[in-house]
Amino acid sequence: MDTEGLTEASLQELAGARSFARGLGYRDAVSAVEIGDSWITATVHGTEPYLVELTLDDPGGLSGECDCPYGQEGNFCKHLVALGLTVLAQRESLPRQRKAARRRGQDLDAWLSALSRDELLALMREQIGEDRKLRSRLELRASSARGDVSGVRSRIRELLDIGPFARYGYVEYADARAYADQAGQAVSAIVALSRSGRAADAIDAAREAMRLLADAVDSVDDSDGGLGQVGDALADAHLEACRAARPDTEELARWLVAHALGAFDDGLIDIDPLDYEDILGGQGMSTLRELATKAWRSKRKGWAEKALMERLAKAGGDVDTVIAVYAADLAASGHTHLLIAGELDGAGRTEEALQWAVRGIRDTRDLATVDTALVDYLCDRYARAARLSDAVALRRDHFRARLTLLTYRQLRAAAQAADCWPTEREKALTLLRADAEGQRHGSRVLIDALLDDKDLDAAWQAATAVGADDRQWLLLADQARADRPADALDIYLRLAEPLTQQTGNTVYERLVNLLLSIRDCRRRLGTEDEFAAHVQALRAAHRRKRNLMRLMEEQGM
């Protein structure tokens, strides 16, 4: 009955600082606390009443669940924090209450064990008379156990009917969880049917449930993924039933292919045909591949058809078929060519891989839209093969198509490796100067490129000639401050002025950083008195901006 795991520190660690702080304000909203041997439940009143449960002796330590939206996503929410803090307030009595709960549980178990069969039946009948949900679950189990297939399937249809939960034909978020819980009962019935010796009937029931769930999913707000979990469980139930019943392999193969190609249009139940390989056997897998191939050949660009063929081909180590699938629908960006090259590299067919990469560049009509990963791949291959001039040529063409700082850097790296950067640089800068003069790109890559080259004088001249944005002027000032403090000071003063008319902590931080740079320039110029006057004027004009005043004081201004 260790309760050391429940501490303020553990609550804060699980919830995070934000949820923990918010939980502090919900302690008065906790009611109906019930303490068991290893669990504690309560109702916490937030936007609506939420059911909250803390588990004290979980193998992984303290844990909890809450049915609020945030808690349903698996988070340790503020409501759990509030319950934990409420329990900690009565920490001294907690061991005693847990001991009493355990004793009550033992007493109940002993009493039930002592009852006769007739007494237990009477008790059960009493409970199902008072609890309709319990009665419904037991009726379904009874139908499954006695092999009442018609009754089970009728009940499954009822459980998957959205009618009782839908408002105007749609199940809202607030009711989606209850619907998902009910749909989960249908899966349990299918599993029970399978395990009662009626696996073949369970297969049919599972497939009908899949169709019903597919019909329902678009009419349910499944934000929490409850129906997704039901779909996963339903797929598992179908697989289990197939393993038990061993259905006709050709029929199973046809059904699996139809499902993979979206015949049921559910988008919810993910079934991997390869999970059925042990059931299908050699003949069934052969049929599966034949059907998948036929479907793909009739619709080579179909997403589902391509995905199925690719999955089967990769599982079988059939690289040529994988390539054929990719090659049937080549992307204009060259991305598909890159995928093919990767597959061929994996198979040790490096020369073919290189050919496909080269073809990808050649087939791309506009290098501005090419998959940059393909360019990187091909340049890497050129470099490893000592084809440095080819790498430079490709980087040059890519730079001309895009004119970005990244492509400039990549061209520089390739040209430096090939020992031809001075020539390539002059050509590249000529293009960037023309681009800057035409002002086709607001970012003016020319300035960024010169700054990246550490060519400060050229960058300054270019900025003066064609203009620069504030970010670039700031970079120029920072780099020039030591040698050209007067020029840098003019820039800092110009950038600081509009900030004095704005508010907000981010603005204040930027302004103070500029003031620090201004102070440094004034010191270099020997005009500290002018900086002091500047600061005094700022303080007088903006004394009501308390956060700005605080930041300035922290920097000795």
Side-chain angles (χ1 to χ4, degrees), residues 539 542-543 545-553:
R539 282 188 163 280
H542 304 285
R543 60 181 179 276
K545 297 177 179 177
R546 290 177 294 178
N547 285 349
L548 174 59
M549 297 298 103
R550 176 180 57 78
L551 289 173
M552 292 176 66
E553 288 172 3

Side-chain angles (χ1 to χ4, degrees), residues 6 11 23 26-27 30-31 33-34 40-44 52-54 65 78-89:
L6 177 59
L11 291 172
Y26 276 79
R27 285 175 290 186
V30 180
S31 65
V33 178
E34 183 178 355
I40 302 170
T41 63
T43 298
V44 180
V52 183
E53 179 174 338
L54 283 172
E65 294 182 358
K78 60 189 177 184
H79 308 110
L80 287 164
V81 172
L83 174 56
L85 293 173
T86 300
V87 173
L88 285 174

Side-chain angles (χ1 to χ4, degrees), residues 164-454:
F165 300 90
R167 301 175 185 177
Y168 309 108
Y170 189 80
V171 181
E172 302 289 348
Y173 176 83
D175 301 310
R177 185 177 185 183
Y179 174 73
D181 289 343
Q182 181 170 293
Q185 294 179 35
V187 180
S188 298
I190 292 168
V191 172
L193 188 64
S194 179
R195 295 176 183 177
S196 67
R198 305 298 296 268
D201 294 316
I203 293 173
D204 293 336
R207 293 180 184 179
E208 181 180 16
M210 290 178 189
R211 289 192 293 271
L212 293 171
L213 197 61
D215 291 339
V217 68
D218 288 336
S219 301
V220 181
D221 182 350
D222 191 37
S223 301
D224 291 333
L227 286 189
Q229 295 177 5
V230 173
D232 291 342
L234 191 52
D236 291 340
H238 180 266
L239 179 59
E240 179 182 334
C242 286
R243 284 207 170 106
R246 294 288 166 172
D248 178 77
T249 57
E250 182 172 341
E251 186 280 329
L252 177 58
R254 291 185 180 281
W255 185 89
L256 288 170
V257 170
H259 188 280
L261 299 183
F264 312 124
D265 195 29
D266 51 64
L268 182 73
I269 301 170
D270 184 19
I271 290 181
D272 185 349
L274 292 176
D275 288 340
Y276 292 76
E277 188 169 6
D278 61 320
I279 304 169
L280 291 168
Q283 184 59 45
M285 286 299 296
S286 177
T287 301
L288 182 71
R289 290 191 176 93
E290 288 175 5
L291 292 170
T293 302
K294 181 179 179 181
W296 171 68
R297 285 175 176 168
S298 65
K299 192 177 181 182
R300 292 177 184 264
K301 295 186 178 182
W303 182 89
E305 287 77 8
K306 290 192 298 182
L308 179 58
M309 276 298 292
E310 181 183 343
R311 177 80 177 99
L312 294 174
K314 285 187 175 181
D318 187 351
V319 176
D320 289 322
T321 297
V322 174
I323 293 171
V325 172
Y326 288 147
D329 187 21
L330 293 171
S333 66
H335 175 70
T336 326
H337 299 75
L338 179 61
L339 293 178
I340 292 173
E343 293 292 333
L344 289 167
D345 275 335
R349 295 157 62 176
T350 55
E351 283 305 314
E352 291 178 74
L354 180 60
Q355 292 169 10
W356 269 101
V358 171
R359 177 180 167 183
I361 297 296
R362 186 177 66 246
D363 289 351
T364 301
R365 296 179 180 178
D366 184 0
L367 274 178
T369 62
V370 72
D371 187 335
T372 56
L374 176 60
V375 178
D376 294 341
Y377 170 88
L378 192 49
C379 285
D380 178 66
R381 289 294 304 271
Y382 284 152
R384 283 189 284 163
R387 295 172 57 180
L388 301 183
S389 60
D390 288 333
V392 172
L394 179 54
R395 288 300 188 190
R396 183 195 306 128
D397 291 342
H398 194 216
F399 167 72
R400 288 175 175 175
R402 290 204 170 185
L403 292 183
T404 66
L405 179 59
L406 175 60
T407 55
Y408 180 83
R409 287 170 171 168
Q410 292 170 331
L411 173 59
R412 181 177 62 198
Q416 285 175 339
D419 198 23
C420 60
W421 177 229
T423 301
E424 290 295 333
R425 180 176 187 262
E426 189 54 42
K427 294 177 182 177
L429 291 177
T430 298
L431 287 173
L432 290 178
R433 288 190 184 97
D435 180 68
E437 290 170 358
Q439 295 186 358
R440 297 201 310 273
H441 298 281
S443 62
R444 294 195 174 94
V445 181
L446 173 63
I447 312 298
D448 288 334
L450 291 170
L451 285 170
D452 203 60
D453 283 341
K454 309 301 181 187

Side-chain angles (χ1 to χ4, degrees), residues 31-62:
S31 65
V33 178
E34 183 178 355
I35 299 177
D37 180 26
S38 61
W39 49 264
I40 302 170
T41 63
T43 298
V44 180
H45 299 268
T47 307
E48 57 184 84
Y50 295 117
L51 299 178
V52 183
E53 179 174 338
L54 283 172
T55 301
L56 302 177
D57 296 334
D58 190 85
L62 179 68

Side-chain angles (χ1 to χ4, degrees), residues 492-504 506-514 538 542 545 548:
Y492 292 137
L493 289 172
R494 179 177 62 79
L495 295 176
E497 177 57 31
L499 296 181
T500 62
Q501 308 305 316
Q502 302 173 32
T503 59
T506 301
V507 171
Y508 299 153
E509 290 173 3
R510 289 169 56 198
L511 177 56
V512 169
N513 285 332
L514 285 170
L538 276 176
H542 304 285
K545 297 177 179 177
L548 174 59

